[in-house]
């Protein structure tokens, strides 16, 4: 088996080839030639789209073209009304789509406001798991393999599927790599991948993140313990000095503004260390949290289905962990279920339009939600009106996706953007950065059962633990905690405060009439002083800010 890795830039791909592969694909040499024959004869695409990995495919035949977008959304394909297509929206458009940019800025990904929009006007994104047929001037988009849950599937079958998919994903990369390395944070996801990988190679260099000033001892000590128990691991601590903390190098990375680009320092150090060892493939656990956890929105689904006994049991268990009232969580779930998606979107539109300040939400409100509450006080009236109108438009569209699954699909899209950032900085170091948890077969297996069956208040990521029992040591699978890296964020923002203050004093996002910088600057000062702040929203504002400055030409034409 050899990897078929094509560049994500169509300018680098062979435009005359019948098949272009964009992403991480591990297929036998003759797989696509056989698949092309099958597709020509019967339109059966499975041999083309169903290989190990995660990738999108372009198939050309007799003047017709079909774009297969990967079901996970890691490697998007874009097109315009004329049928031109690319892996980058910026190659097809020049005028920034204010609705899309405002949605990203407000962190309203989970509201479904994107539809199939892109960062540029007139450029559309092929929906995940959909195929766009281009021929005779007609554009026809239809689903071919979207992610779907199967309520009738047993947990045991789902665990077997996940086991096979993960083993296959790691094994394919081990066989294709000249030298394989992996992250080894001490957390469940990266440590599990490393144990699967070390079964495929004679020795495995692994990298443990270590902030000498504020080490996350819970992670580091466990990583040391796990690595010391198996001589095949060659553990390397990667020290993160102050100049590589988050916010120290604010520059856009990837095709669109994303918060991961402002915290690349530790990853850059790990990838550079991997390259120094001669590694060409670096495994990381990105995406594990998205596909293996169940967001609190699944409470809404339980209430909507009338499964009140299960809902109460879960409310009771989760509330005890947080020392909260289970009855409050239960009532919140029932209210949100009764509200429904459409009315929730209309309420969001009203909140945006009126500019009602969100404030510090109670845990019950923030966790049992379809999307994060926007920081409405940060946005200009024009931005709020734009978002409100889009929310009302989307509210009238039907959706059969459960609230829990909708949040997971949103998280997948965001993890895909994070992984894009990792790929870019890995490529700069000469290393291919791979995320097996974001492989199509892995995601499909993890999401095969509904979100509420992936949740267990007593066990972290129960489906993963069931799948990897016997392959990963019990002491690794028994971990129920997760390292907290928020101290690095506070440390980094305090160190970078002079530069960030200057950035927001002459804000490009304010010039573009997206934000009111005054409340954002106050949030910055709160963060510098160690107060609790909405990190996700603040980080996204900074990501948009530096992206706008780097794309002045597109912004000027908008």
């Amino acid at each position: 088996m050899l990897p078929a890795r094509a560049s994500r830039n169509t300018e680098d791909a062979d435009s005359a080839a019948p098949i272009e592969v964009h992403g991480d694909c591990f297929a036998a040499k003759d797989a696509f030639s056989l698949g092309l024959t099958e597709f020509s004869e019967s339109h059966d695409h499975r041999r083309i789209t169903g290989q190990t990995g995660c990738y999108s495919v372009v198939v050309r035949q007799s003047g017709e073209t079909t774009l297969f977008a990967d079901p996970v959304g890691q490697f998007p394909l874009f097109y315009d009304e004329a049928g031109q297509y690319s892996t980058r929206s910026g190659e097809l458009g020049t005028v920034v789509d204010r609705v899309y940019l405002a949605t990203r800025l407000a962190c309203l990904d989970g509201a479904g406001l994107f539809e199939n929009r892109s960062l540029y006007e007139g450029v559309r994104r092929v929906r995940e798991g959909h195929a766009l047929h281009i021929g005779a001037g007609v554009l026809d988009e239809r689903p071919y393999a979207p992610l779907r849950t199967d309520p009738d599937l047993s947990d045991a079958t789902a665990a077997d599927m996940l086991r096979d998919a993960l083993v296959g994903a790691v094994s394919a990369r081990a066989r294709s790599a000249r030298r394989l390395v992996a992250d080894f944070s001490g957390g469940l996801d990266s440590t599990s991948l490393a144990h699967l990988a070390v079964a495929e190679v004679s020795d495995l260099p692994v990298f443990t993140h270590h902030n000498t000033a504020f080490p996350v001892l819970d992670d580091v000590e466990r990583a040391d313990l796990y690595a010391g128990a198996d001589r095949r691991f060659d553990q390397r601590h990667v020290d993160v000095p102050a100049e590589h903390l988050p916010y120290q190098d604010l520059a856009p990375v990837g095709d669109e503004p994303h918060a991961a680009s402002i915290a690349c320092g530790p990853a850059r150090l790990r990838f550079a260390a991997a390259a120094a060892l001669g590694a060409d493939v670096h495994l990381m656990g990105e995406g594990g949290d998205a596909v293996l956890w169940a967001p609190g929105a699944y409470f809404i689904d339980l209430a909507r289905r009338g499964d009140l006994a299960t809902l109460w049991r879960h409310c009771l268990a989760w509330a005890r962990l947080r020392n909260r009232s289970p009855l409050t969580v239960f009532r919140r779930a029932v209210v949100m279920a009764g509200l429904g998606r459409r009315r929730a979107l209309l309420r969001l539109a009203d909140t945006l339009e009126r500019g009602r300040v969100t404030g510090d939400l109670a845990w019950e409100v923030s966790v049992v939600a379809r999307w994060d509450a926007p920081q409405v006080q940060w946005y200009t009236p024009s931005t709020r009106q734009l978002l409100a109108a889009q929310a009302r438009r989307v509210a009238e569209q039907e959706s059969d996706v459960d609230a829990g699954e909708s949040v997971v699909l949103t998280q997948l899209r965001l993890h895909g953007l994070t992984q894009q950032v990792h790929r870019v900085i890995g490529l700069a170091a000469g290393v291919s950065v791979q995320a097996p948890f974001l492989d199509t077969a892995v995601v499909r297996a993890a999401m095969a059962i509904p979100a509420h069956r992936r949740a267990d208040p007593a066990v972290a990521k129960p489906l993963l633990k069931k799948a990897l029992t016997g392959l990963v040591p019990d002491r690794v699978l028994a971990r129920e905690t997760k390292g907290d890296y928020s101290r690095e964020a506070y440390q980094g923002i305090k160190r970078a405060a002079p530069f960030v203050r200057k950035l927001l004093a002459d804000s490009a996002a304010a010039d573009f009439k997206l934000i009111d910088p005054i409340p954002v600057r106050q949030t910055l000062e709160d963060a510098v002083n160690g107060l609790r702040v909405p990190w996700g929203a603040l980080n996204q504002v900074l990501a948009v800010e530096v992206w706008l400055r780097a794309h002045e030409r597109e912004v000027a034409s908008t």
Side-chain angles (χ1 to χ4, degrees):
M1 300 285 282
L2 296 175
R5 292 199 188 99
S7 169
R8 299 192 61 238
N9 186 333
T10 53
E11 292 179 350
D12 297 333
D14 183 357
S15 60
I19 293 184
E20 291 177 22
V21 179
H22 299 279
D24 301 319
C25 176
F26 303 86
K29 288 183 178 180
D30 60 348
F32 288 114
S33 59
L34 293 173
L36 189 62
T37 300
E38 292 176 0
F39 186 66
S40 300
E41 294 175 350
S42 64
H43 295 288
D44 186 346
H45 58 78
R46 287 173 296 180
R47 195 184 294 268
I48 293 174
T49 61
Q51 301 295 326
T52 299
C54 183
Y55 58 95
S56 294
V57 186
V58 177
V59 180
R60 300 184 186 86
Q61 288 183 310
S62 305
E64 298 182 345
T65 303
T66 305
L67 312 182
F68 291 97
D70 81 81
V72 178
Q74 250 200 104
F75 300 96
L77 297 173
F78 302 94
Y79 65 97
D80 61 18
E81 293 179 355
Q84 301 295 314
Y85 60 89
S86 175
T87 58
R88 300 180 63 188
S89 60
E91 292 180 349
L92 300 174
T94 57
V95 179
V96 175
D97 185 329
R98 290 183 68 93
V99 171
Y100 185 94
L101 188 59
T103 302
R104 292 292 297 115
L105 181 72
C107 297
L108 285 173
D109 313 87
L113 303 190
F114 287 138
E115 300 178 282
N116 66 340
R117 307 176 84 107
S118 80
L119 195 51
Y120 294 91
E121 289 186 7
V123 180
R124 298 294 173 179
R125 172 173 172 155
V126 184
R127 291 177 174 87
E128 294 86 347
H130 283 61
L132 177 73
H133 181 75
I134 305 172
V138 177
L139 305 179
D140 181 23
E141 182 177 328
R142 301 183 182 184
Y144 78 92
L147 299 172
R148 291 281 189 266
T149 60
D150 182 358
D152 296 326
L153 195 72
S154 70
D155 292 358
T157 301
D160 288 343
M161 290 169 56
L162 181 59
R163 178 190 185 104
D164 291 344
L166 271 175
V167 169
V170 173
S171 178
R173 289 164 169 84
R175 292 196 303 269
S176 69
R178 180 180 65 251
R179 188 170 194 193
L180 184 71
V181 300
D183 280 348
F184 202 81
S185 70
L188 180 57
D189 298 341
S190 66
T191 309
S192 294
L193 290 179
H195 276 91
L196 294 180
V198 81
E200 302 282 344
V201 295
S202 57
D203 67 280
L204 182 72
V206 293
F207 300 94
T208 301
H209 173 109
H210 185 247
N211 181 338
T212 52
F214 295 102
V216 182
L217 294 177
D218 191 30
D219 270 3
V220 174
E221 291 174 354
R222 286 177 181 271
D224 293 347
L225 175 65
Y226 300 151
D230 192 327
R231 294 182 178 179
R232 294 173 298 175
F233 288 126
D234 177 14
Q235 187 189 24
R236 316 280 180 121
H237 281 196
V238 177
D239 292 338
V240 180
E243 58 268 24
H244 287 279
L245 288 168
Y247 312 105
Q248 307 310 300
D249 183 17
L250 291 176
V253 180
D255 295 335
E256 63 179 80
H258 182 54
S261 64
I262 65 176
C264 294
R268 279 199 178 96
L269 292 174
R270 298 198 309 275
F271 301 155
L277 292 179
D280 59 328
V281 176
H282 187 120
L283 301 183
M284 63 187 313
E286 186 67 41
D289 285 342
V291 300
L292 296 167
W293 74 306
Y298 83 85
F299 289 116
I300 301 172
D301 300 324
L302 287 173
R304 186 173 60 84
R305 287 188 170 86
D307 191 354
L308 301 185
T310 303
L311 174 62
W312 175 250
R313 187 169 66 252
H314 281 236
C315 288
L316 188 63
W318 284 114
R320 280 177 175 169
L321 290 174
R322 292 276 182 166
N323 196 27
R324 310 290 290 201
S325 165
L327 185 58
T328 304
V329 183
F330 185 89
R331 286 173 174 167
R332 171 69 177 170
V334 172
V335 168
M336 289 300 295
L339 190 64
R341 173 182 171 273
R342 179 180 177 276
R343 289 170 60 195
L345 281 166
L346 293 177
R347 179 178 288 187
L348 170 64
D350 181 66
T351 299
L352 289 163
E353 207 162 48
R354 294 176 180 271
R356 295 171 178 166
V357 178
T358 303
D360 193 8
L361 298 177
W363 174 77
E364 294 86 354
V365 174
S366 62
V367 74
V368 187
R370 294 174 179 269
W371 44 76
D372 291 337
Q375 301 295 313
V376 292
Q377 68 274 21
W378 292 4
Y379 313 124
T380 62
S382 61
T383 296
R384 291 190 278 105
Q385 291 287 341
L386 200 68
L387 290 170
Q390 182 66 4
R392 288 195 171 93
R393 168 188 165 86
V394 172
E396 301 309 318
Q397 300 173 7
E398 296 292 333
S399 175
D400 60 353
V401 180
D402 283 348
E405 303 310 326
S406 177
V407 174
V408 173
L409 292 173
T410 296
Q411 291 299 318
L412 278 175
R413 185 166 184 158
L414 296 179
H415 279 285
L417 290 173
T418 301
Q419 186 59 16
Q420 182 186 110
V421 171
H422 290 149
R423 283 195 301 271
V424 170
I425 60 178
L427 183 62
V431 178
S432 176
V433 180
Q434 303 277 318
F437 281 114
L438 290 176
D439 270 14
T440 300
V442 174
V443 174
R444 196 177 297 283
M447 293 185 65
I449 56 175
H452 70 270
R453 286 170 51 196
R454 300 197 298 271
D456 187 337
V459 180
K461 301 178 181 176
L463 187 63
L464 179 68
K465 294 180 177 182
K466 187 176 293 185
L468 297 186
T469 296
L471 296 180
V472 173
D474 291 343
R475 60 181 173 275
V476 174
L477 297 179
R479 183 172 185 184
E480 300 295 337
T481 59
K482 187 175 179 65
D484 180 5
Y485 290 83
S486 60
R487 292 181 72 185
E488 285 191 357
Y490 283 107
Q491 182 188 9
I493 199 71
K494 186 171 185 177
R495 188 176 190 272
F499 176 77
V500 181
R501 288 188 184 110
K502 290 180 181 179
L503 201 69
L504 293 176
D506 183 26
S507 169
D511 290 343
F512 200 45
K513 295 185 171 49
L514 285 170
I515 68 166
D516 175 358
I518 295 175
V520 180
R521 289 199 291 261
Q522 181 57 57
T523 301
L524 168 64
E525 296 307 319
D526 289 345
V528 170
N529 290 318
L531 302 178
R532 191 168 74 169
V533 297
W535 284 111
L538 178 61
N539 291 344
Q540 191 59 28
V541 167
L542 296 178
V544 169
E545 182 69 36
V546 296
W547 188 91
L548 288 171
R549 291 168 181 266
H551 293 79
E552 292 180 4
R553 183 178 301 176
E554 295 97 317
V555 174
S557 68
T558 302

